[in-house]
Amino acid sequence: MGRIFEEKARPFPITEQMVVSAFKKVNSNAGGAGIDNISLTTYESNLSNNLYKLWNRLSSGSYFPPAVKEHEINKSDGKKRKLGIPTVEDRIAQQVIKDYIEARFEAVFHDNSYGYRPLRNAHQALFCVSENVRHYAWVIDLDIKSFFDTVSHEKLLLALDKHVDEKWVKMYIRRWLEAPIVHTDGSTSYRSGQGTPQGGVISPLLANLYLHYTFDKWMDIHFPDLCFVRYADDIVIHCKTDKQSQYVLNKVQERFQICNLTVHPDKTKIVYCKNYLRPQLKGKPTKFDFLGFSYRPKSMKSQRGGMFLGYGCVLSKKSYSKIVGEIRATKFHLWAKSWEDIAQLLNEKIRGWIHYYDKYRRNTLTSVLHRLHNRMAKWILNYYKKFKRSKERAYEHLRYIRRHYPTLFYHWEIGYPIV
């Protein structure tokens, strides 16, 4: 990128390389424009000047974050989740500070925390839960009500004090916590001592720090014999008995109240992990969702060739509905003019679904891809009049395309059949 910064002494130890490295990470993660409507492409068109101005302000203490743009996305329960979208420049600034302090937090974070951490991912969390349900018959499926909206600034800054001595770092974090929010209706509000924007670069790191002291470390002290898995604010606690589960849940509720958090009364539940070794208990929930999968009793193949009732995970109904909804929303069967149109539209989506769901559990997406093939057959019937509304003949043609163009779609390329 060349040398774009003047070598002058600055109050804060923010270097040229820190800002350039932060930009590269933000650029690789893509993302939309913030309140200033400046996209990554626009920002990059005058990159040297933009990064120089940002470095100058960050390193001198004169950087103040602009307002965060509110963006709403639909939740599975019909409600809206509010995200805070910073500007491109603010994302770079947050990345600089995150890179500066993350290693010292990583040195103390719990092994059972997997969300938004280097070299950790959702698949590792799912594997851990799958191992734990073999040894623990009960699960507390814990949901925190409006976590990102209720994080206490005071308590978060106290946790920050344990690991960060630099006053300038804490100054910038305070500024981000207190940055104004521009809502979808155009009005502006300010946080009053609580909340952190869900969507900011540094927010997941701060959330992990908050929950490290609120939950992870507390669990190690008070329940060292129990296992838990946490992915950001999604938490699963494994217990030996129903009575123990009730006791632990009550204690967690008390702990959360002290830490300004609330256990969601409707979404939190105690689940019995029923398998062939465990007795039947009527009236107890036996299913819980975690990271897009549903853990429940299911038939499994034994190594000897028979079947047995095990306890494992499958694609959750919410994930299935979400993916099928995405396919349906494309309406490609009404407008696509060629197979290339469909491939260009869907391949990136298919790759993403398979890399997440199928990477952890092979053939998880069979039912989803069957719905996709149904939609392709519908397109064939619309586009090729010669098939005369025969779905059977449409499927024959689809199999013909699959045989002769096996790399047209990503799932065909890796061996998914048409059934």
Side-chain angles (χ1 to χ4, degrees):
M1 186 176 290
R3 201 158 193 79
I4 60 176
F5 299 89
E6 298 176 14
E7 291 296 336
K8 292 182 180 179
R10 296 284 173 174
F12 304 151
I14 296 176
T15 66
E16 166 187 348
Q17 188 54 44
M18 290 167 66
V19 178
V20 173
S21 175
F23 165 74
K24 289 179 179 177
K25 290 179 181 178
V26 169
N27 192 40
S28 67
N29 290 328
I35 198 66
D36 60 0
N37 291 320
I38 296 176
S39 66
L40 272 164
T41 302
T42 303
Y43 191 86
E44 196 170 8
S45 66
N46 192 21
L47 188 60
S48 294
N49 287 334
N50 286 333
L51 291 185
Y52 174 78
K53 286 189 288 185
L54 177 60
W55 168 75
N56 191 39
R57 292 159 62 203
L58 277 174
S59 60
S60 65
S62 63
Y63 177 78
F64 285 84
V68 173
K69 182 174 73 172
E70 184 179 77
H71 176 67
E72 294 181 340
I73 59 174
N74 295 323
K75 296 172 64 175
S76 57
D77 58 5
K79 297 180 180 179
K80 302 282 187 180
R81 173 177 284 116
K82 294 181 179 180
L83 302 181
I85 310 300
T87 64
V88 168
E89 186 165 82
D90 197 45
R91 295 209 298 274
I92 299 169
Q94 290 187 36
Q95 188 70 56
V96 169
I97 304 304
K98 180 187 176 187
D99 290 346
Y100 185 78
I101 62 176
E102 186 171 41
R104 62 185 86 174
F105 293 164
E106 280 297 311
V108 300
F109 280 169
H110 202 284
D111 283 344
N112 290 343
S113 166
Y114 293 93
Y116 307 104
R117 295 181 58 189
L119 304 178
R120 287 172 171 262
N121 58 50
H123 294 146
Q124 294 169 331
L126 288 162
F127 177 80
C128 191
V129 170
S130 296
E131 287 296 301
N132 289 342
V133 295
R134 295 171 54 196
H135 306 290
Y136 293 84
W138 297 85
V139 153
I140 303 172
D141 178 17
L142 190 66
D143 187 278
I144 305 175
K145 187 176 181 180
S146 303
F147 170 71
F148 284 91
D149 295 331
T150 55
V151 168
S152 165
H153 292 180
E154 180 185 3
K155 289 179 171 59
L156 176 57
L157 291 170
L158 284 174
L160 201 66
D161 284 339
K162 292 179 179 290
H163 307 284
V164 178
D165 294 326
E166 298 91 335
K167 292 182 179 180
W168 62 273
V169 172
K170 290 183 276 191
M171 175 190 74
Y172 279 134
I173 289 176
R174 283 192 190 94
R175 289 179 184 177
W176 280 312
L177 290 175
E178 296 168 359
I181 306 161
V182 176
H183 299 283
T184 53
D185 63 1
S187 63
T188 301
S189 67
Y190 296 82
R191 293 184 178 85
S192 56
Q194 65 179 27
T196 178
Q198 188 176 359
V201 171
I202 204 166
S203 294
L205 180 63
L206 298 179
N208 272 331
L209 177 67
Y210 197 87
L211 285 171
H212 172 74
Y213 286 104
T214 297
F215 180 78
D216 302 355
K217 195 171 178 65
W218 179 84
M219 280 290 293
D220 270 358
I221 294 170
H222 295 275
F223 300 102
D225 297 330
L226 297 184
C227 291
F228 69 88
V229 176
R230 182 172 68 79
Y231 190 93
D233 59 330
D234 289 333
I235 303 173
V236 171
I237 306 172
H238 301 272
C239 298
K240 292 288 188 182
T241 65
D242 187 13
K243 185 177 180 180
Q244 184 184 55
S245 302
Q246 297 285 351
Y247 177 77
V248 172
L249 178 55
N250 289 336
K251 291 300 179 183
V252 170
Q253 288 173 321
E254 292 173 7
R255 172 63 178 172
F256 277 11
Q257 286 179 352
I258 294 170
C259 297
N260 211 55
L261 300 178
T262 304
V263 173
H264 200 297
D266 300 323
K267 296 182 180 180
T268 297
K269 62 179 181 290
I270 294 173
V271 176
Y272 181 48
C273 305
K274 175 72 178 77
N275 64 20
Y276 78 102
L277 292 172
R278 295 165 182 159
Q280 182 74 35
L281 295 177
K282 292 185 178 180
K284 299 292 183 181
T286 57
K287 187 191 81 169
F288 67 96
D289 288 357
F290 186 59
L291 301 181
F293 288 84
S294 287
Y295 283 84
R296 61 170 177 76
K298 55 175 294 194
S299 296
M300 297 181 174
K301 290 183 180 180
S302 70
Q303 294 181 344
R304 297 177 180 177
M307 302 294 292
F308 68 96
L309 182 66
Y311 196 87
C313 66
V314 297
L315 183 71
S316 72
K317 288 184 178 179
K318 288 181 181 179
S319 297
Y320 175 84
S321 297
K322 181 181 177 181
I323 297 172
V324 170
E326 285 186 55
I327 295 171
R328 188 184 298 117
T330 63
K331 297 183 178 180
F332 69 82
H333 67 288
L334 298 176
W335 59 263
K337 301 300 182 185
S338 67
W339 284 108
E340 288 75 15
D341 284 347
I342 302 172
Q344 186 175 3
L345 173 73
L346 292 175
N347 264 334
E348 187 176 343
K349 292 179 182 290
I350 295 170
R351 188 185 300 270
W353 299 331
I354 287 176
H355 280 192
Y356 182 73
Y357 294 102
D358 230 45
K359 185 176 180 180
Y360 180 68
R361 182 73 71 224
R362 179 65 176 158
N363 295 326
T364 293
L365 295 176
T366 299
S367 58
V368 168
L369 295 177
H370 176 66
R371 292 293 294 270
L372 175 59
H373 291 148
N374 250 328
R375 184 71 45 158
M376 290 178 179
K378 197 170 184 179
W379 175 76
I380 291 171
L381 290 174
N382 287 344
Y383 192 71
Y384 298 101
K385 304 303 181 184
K386 63 182 181 181
F387 291 111
K388 296 180 180 178
R389 299 182 182 180
S390 170
K391 192 172 183 180
E392 183 178 344
R393 292 186 63 201
Y395 259 93
E396 287 176 3
H397 184 69
L398 186 58
R399 294 187 184 96
Y400 170 85
I401 297 296
R402 167 76 172 80
R403 286 194 304 272
H404 288 80
Y405 304 95
T407 62
L408 181 61
F409 294 99
Y410 180 73
H411 64 295
W412 291 358
E413 188 176 346
I414 63 173
Y416 262 102
I418 295 173
V419 293

